């Protein structure tokens, strides 16, 4: 149950549904196996794994959800070979050329013929709602998978006003400053991995592993104009991750202090184990999110709020004063 990645969304209004209301809303969109001639089927499944279990698992103000996607695997090469064979048969028997419009129709027939024999790929995406603090958390680093989760949840609930969180300071600028000035917050310990990019040249980046991130050679990259895109770090000796400048958390690990606490909790069944782990994880992350926002100046509350970040010209001037060239790319 321990999430490996975190894509965060901020609820723009309090969650209206109770645990029972969520269950009722998701029930109309429960997953069922794809029919013989369906390419894909997406729906909600019980987080606890048992077929007759509720579609939500709630612990206090935390509501755990699981989206199941079934996709039929039809490689393009298989479709192409079957289509070429069918076209060849027609051209040979009828001594004529198969035109494009007819070929498109034949392709649809080929796909319908192959679908019942296609293998299915199943994928589950987990997420939970923190109704008290107004977060939707999806266990993925993929923007597309996260948006799919949000869209299906919005479809079930009828409305779901959420937005990616924005901070008052640019995470990229702040993380770059940490390395440039060796000015790291006391509860943050840097790892040994980072990706730096040059905002002036598309695709220009430097990836480092097993590297002292405050070494002189890292400062040289920053002085050359590169900025931090991802950074490995540990928070409070409780969790480690690779933090993206877009505030996506990747390769999340809960450290010994948390894992030992989980091991002390007795669980006789897999369902009880999931319940214990979800409770500990959600409480731990509930403490982490405010600190994550605080590291970058706190959350921006809306477009009307004055932007405290310096302009591009001011950033350049400040960088020159500090002996750093280039300018950080602000998060819009």
């Amino acid at each position: 149950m321990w999430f490996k990645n975190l894509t965060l969304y901020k609820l723009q209004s309090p969650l209206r549904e109770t645990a029972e209301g969520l269950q009722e809303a998701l029930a109309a969109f429960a997953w069922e196996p794809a029919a013989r001639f369906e390419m894909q089927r997406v729906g909600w499944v019980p987080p606890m794994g048992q077929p007759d279990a509720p579609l939500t698992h709630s612990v206090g103000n935390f509501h755990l959800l699981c989206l199941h996607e079934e996709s039929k695997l039809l490689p393009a090469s298989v479709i192409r070979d079957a289509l070429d064979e069918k076209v060849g048969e027609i051209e040979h028997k009828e001594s004529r050329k198969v035109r494009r419009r007819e070929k498109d129709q034949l392709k649809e027939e080929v796909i319908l013929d192959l679908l019942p024999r296609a293998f299915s790929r199943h994928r589950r995406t987990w997420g939970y709602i923190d109704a008290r603090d107004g977060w939707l958390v999806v266990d993925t680093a993929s923007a597309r998978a996260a948006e799919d989760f949000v869209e299906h949840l919005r479809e079930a609930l009828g409305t779901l006003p959420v937005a990616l969180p924005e901070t008052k300071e640019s995470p990229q600028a702040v993380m770059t400053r940490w390395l440039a000035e060796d000015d790291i917050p006391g509860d943050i310990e840097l790892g040994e991995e980072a990706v730096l990019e040059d905002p002036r040249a598309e695709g220009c980046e430097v990836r480092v592993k097993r590297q002292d991130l405050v070494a002189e050679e890292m400062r040289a990259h920053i002085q050359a104009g590169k900025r931090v895109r991802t950074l490995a770090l540990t928070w409070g000796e409780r969790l480690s991750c690779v933090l993206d400048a877009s505030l996506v958390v990747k390769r999340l690990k809960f450290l010994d202090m948390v894992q030992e606490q989980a091991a002390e909790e007795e669980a006789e069944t897999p369902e009880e184990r999931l319940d214990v782990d979800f409770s500990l994880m959600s409480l731990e992350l509930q403490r982490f999110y405010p600190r994550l926002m605080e590291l970058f100046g706190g959350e921006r509350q809306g477009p009307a709020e004055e932007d405290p970040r310096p302009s591009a010209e001011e950033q350049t001037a400040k960088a020159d004063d500090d002996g750093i060239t280039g300018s950080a790319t602000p998060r819009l």
Side-chain angles (χ1 to χ4, degrees), residues 34-41 70-75 78-79 82 107-120:
R36 285 168 54 85
F37 298 105
E38 279 188 311
M39 280 291 295
Q40 185 185 53
R41 179 69 70 88
E70 177 185 2
S71 303
K72 297 290 182 67
L73 297 179
L74 276 180
V78 173
I79 298 174
K107 182 177 180 180
E108 294 179 4
E109 295 176 7
V110 165
I111 292 175
L112 288 175
D113 182 58
L114 292 174
L115 272 176
R117 293 175 283 164
F119 290 101
S120 291

Side-chain angles (χ1 to χ4, degrees), residues 150-220:
V150 171
E151 285 301 318
H152 283 91
L153 185 55
R154 181 178 290 121
E155 181 182 19
L157 299 182
T159 180
L160 184 65
V162 298
L164 294 169
E166 292 190 9
T167 52
K168 295 178 181 178
E169 295 186 75
S170 161
Q172 186 174 59
V174 172
M175 292 191 293
T176 301
R177 188 165 66 241
W178 289 350
L179 302 194
E181 302 176 3
D182 192 10
D183 183 20
I184 300 118
D187 57 345
I188 298 296
E189 180 181 347
L190 296 183
E192 298 180 327
E193 179 179 343
V195 176
L196 289 80
E197 63 183 7
D198 190 335
R200 302 164 300 183
E202 184 177 357
C204 179
E205 63 179 27
V206 173
R207 295 175 177 267
V208 296
K209 291 186 177 182
R210 295 188 175 183
Q211 168 71 50
D212 179 4
L213 297 183
V214 294
E216 286 299 325
E217 57 187 291
M218 298 298 295
R219 291 195 179 95

Side-chain angles (χ1 to χ4, degrees), residues 34 121 329:
R121 178 182 62 189
T329 302

Side-chain angles (χ1 to χ4, degrees), residues 34-168:
R36 285 168 54 85
F37 298 105
E38 279 188 311
M39 280 291 295
Q40 185 185 53
R41 179 69 70 88
V42 182
W44 301 96
V45 295
M48 299 298 283
Q50 299 172 335
D52 56 346
L55 294 174
T56 61
H57 179 69
S58 299
V59 178
N61 292 309
F62 303 109
H63 307 292
L64 181 64
L65 315 170
C66 184
L67 186 68
H68 187 108
E69 176 186 344
E70 177 185 2
S71 303
K72 297 290 182 67
L73 297 179
L74 276 180
S77 59
V78 173
I79 298 174
R80 184 174 59 250
D81 291 344
L83 178 60
D84 290 345
E85 183 179 351
K86 198 174 188 67
V87 169
E89 290 177 359
I90 293 175
E91 292 181 341
H92 177 72
K93 289 181 180 180
E94 301 181 12
S95 300
R96 64 180 180 85
K97 183 73 173 178
V98 174
R99 301 299 178 185
R100 181 173 180 177
R101 180 176 297 180
E102 184 181 1
K103 187 176 289 187
D104 290 341
Q105 294 175 344
L106 291 173
K107 182 177 180 180
E108 294 179 4
E109 295 176 7
V110 165
I111 292 175
L112 288 175
D113 182 58
L114 292 174
L115 272 176
R117 293 175 283 164
F119 290 101
S120 291
R121 178 182 62 189
H122 296 266
R123 184 184 70 179
R124 291 190 174 187
T125 304
W126 300 78
Y128 74 87
I129 301 172
D130 178 349
R132 192 196 77 175
D133 291 347
W135 291 102
L136 170 62
V137 186
V138 187
D139 182 11
T140 181
S142 164
R144 180 176 178 180
E147 284 300 317
D148 285 346
F149 189 98
V150 171
E151 285 301 318
H152 283 91
L153 185 55
R154 181 178 290 121
E155 181 182 19
L157 299 182
T159 180
L160 184 65
V162 298
L164 294 169
E166 292 190 9
T167 52
K168 295 178 181 178

